[in-house]
Amino acid sequence: MNTLVIDHLSKHFGGVAALSDVSMQVPPGRIVGLIGPNGAGKTTLINLITGLLTVSSGRIRFGDLDVTHAPAHVVARAGLARTFQNIRLLTEASVVDNVMIGFYRREHSSSLASLLGLRSAHRETREIRDRALALLDRFEMRHLADEEAGSLAYGHQRRVEMMRAMASDPSTVLFDEPVAGMNDVEAGQLGDIFRGLALEGRGVLLIEHNIRFVTRLCDHVYVLDSGRLIAEGTPAEVTSHPDVITAYLGQPRRKEGG
Ligand SMILES: Nc1ncnc2c1ncn2[C@@H]1O[C@H](COP(=O)(O)OP(=O)(O)OP(=O)(O)O)[C@@H](O)[C@H]1O
Ligand SMILES: [Mg+2]
């Protein structure tokens, strides 16, 4: 299992510094929180890690691998998966098909065979369907397996995204505001699922605006404001930090989504 290490990372968009000199770590088996107001740079950080944006300066390592300039598919193959703040599903495909796509992304050698209709490919498709259904069980979504993904409630669509990310069996997973738009019961269920992922030895980076959710789940929390890390530590340490109270807790409640 690998530790994700962010080392003095910066990102500029033209003259705008979206991230400045950010260092942090996500060890295996831990749920690490990342909080901060709108525009703090949280999503930018995930986009840099996963190869969707190019790094301006600094390094990103995953275990022994330097992924600073690695393209997205290399990062994914190294065992890093993510979800998107804006849900990206095949809305007209079924829930189980959306999850199966996650498996095919990992095992793309077999997709040619399945296109050609080989018998081994049929068997493989059945196996992948079974594994997708097992993930649906874990996320308590089995009863929605054959529904059109786009017809689901927002919270359920988020779960489909998470299952698709988990289908690649990542050793570390980055969740961008996974409980946005969910009620407390749904968020609590997801919290249990995240704990399970960490117990299996996976690293979890949890970007959230819901402070209660973060403080309940995380061992270690980082706080970003205007692209800079202004605090880190245990949930109790960061939530009592004066800069955090001013920068984050002091500001009016944000809108969900984004
Ligand atoms: N592709 C881009 N081009 C130009 N500026 C960008 C781009 N992506 C992000 N930014 C800017 O970088 C800053 C950080 O944005 P980012 O989306 O990372 O914030 P965030 O912490 O995820 O906010 P939110 O809580 O609203 O999701 C913002 O000022 C944003 O406008
Ligand atoms: Mg964001």
Side-chain angles (χ1 to χ4, degrees):
M1 287 292 177
N2 295 321
T3 297
L4 174 64
V5 179
I6 313 297
D7 190 16
H8 297 288
L9 198 67
S10 297
K11 175 64 183 178
H12 310 278
F13 293 109
V16 179
L19 279 182
S20 307
D21 199 26
V22 169
S23 296
M24 54 187 282
Q25 298 202 2
V26 183
R30 296 294 176 85
I31 306 178
V32 172
L34 177 60
I35 64 174
N38 294 135
K42 304 180 298 296
T43 298
T44 299
L45 180 69
I46 291 198
N47 287 339
L48 291 169
I49 296 168
T50 53
L52 295 193
L53 287 173
T54 56
V55 168
S56 300
S57 64
R59 305 218 73 78
I60 305 168
R61 279 178 291 126
F62 189 51
D64 294 334
L65 209 60
D66 186 326
V67 292
T68 312
H69 300 292
H73 69 276
V74 173
V75 177
R77 214 178 299 142
L80 270 163
R82 56 102 43 99
T83 61
F84 289 90
Q85 188 168 355
N86 301 307
I87 303 172
R88 299 182 179 188
L89 297 178
L90 295 178
T91 52
E92 286 172 20
S94 72
V95 167
V96 69
D97 284 347
N98 268 277
V99 177
M100 285 173 72
I101 288 164
F103 286 100
Y104 280 115
R105 268 192 203 151
R106 188 182 51 165
E107 290 157 38
H108 54 100
S109 61
S110 61
S111 42
L112 178 63
S114 64
L115 278 178
L116 296 174
L118 301 180
R119 193 181 311 181
S120 64
H122 286 307
R123 190 164 57 235
E124 211 163 78
T125 302
R126 259 203 321 277
E127 274 171 26
I128 284 176
R129 188 180 161 85
D130 287 345
R131 277 152 66 195
L133 289 172
L135 261 181
L136 263 67
D137 280 335
R138 179 171 198 168
F139 280 80
E140 298 181 39
M141 291 280 289
R142 180 69 174 251
H143 59 296
L144 298 172
D146 297 318
E147 298 292 319
E148 250 183 38
S151 72
L152 299 181
Y154 190 63
H156 285 139
Q157 293 198 21
R158 288 211 163 275
R159 286 185 190 221
V160 176
E161 254 236 344
M162 289 177 221
M163 291 186 288
R164 199 172 51 184
M166 295 314 301
S168 63
D169 195 22
S171 50
T172 292
V173 52
L174 318 170
F175 292 115
D176 198 347
E177 303 202 25
V179 301
M182 291 188 186
N183 64 36
D184 282 354
V185 175
E186 290 175 316
Q189 287 172 346
L190 267 190
D192 291 341
I193 291 168
F194 292 161
R195 276 199 196 90
L197 299 179
L199 280 173
E200 290 171 349
R202 299 179 211 268
V204 177
L205 180 67
L206 183 62
I207 292 184
E208 254 315 315
H209 273 277
N210 183 334
I211 292 263
R212 255 188 319 146
F213 189 72
V214 169
T215 52
R216 234 184 286 136
L217 272 179
C218 298
D219 310 305
H220 199 84
V221 179
Y222 294 90
V223 188
L224 268 180
D225 184 28
S226 304
R228 293 182 179 279
L229 273 186
I230 58 168
E232 69 166 289
T234 64
E237 283 165 356
V238 300
T239 51
S240 60
H241 194 293
D243 290 351
V244 177
I245 292 167
T246 311
Y248 188 79
L249 301 173
Q251 77 157 22
R253 184 89 186 99
R254 68 177 308 254
K255 61 174 178 22
E256 301 288 9

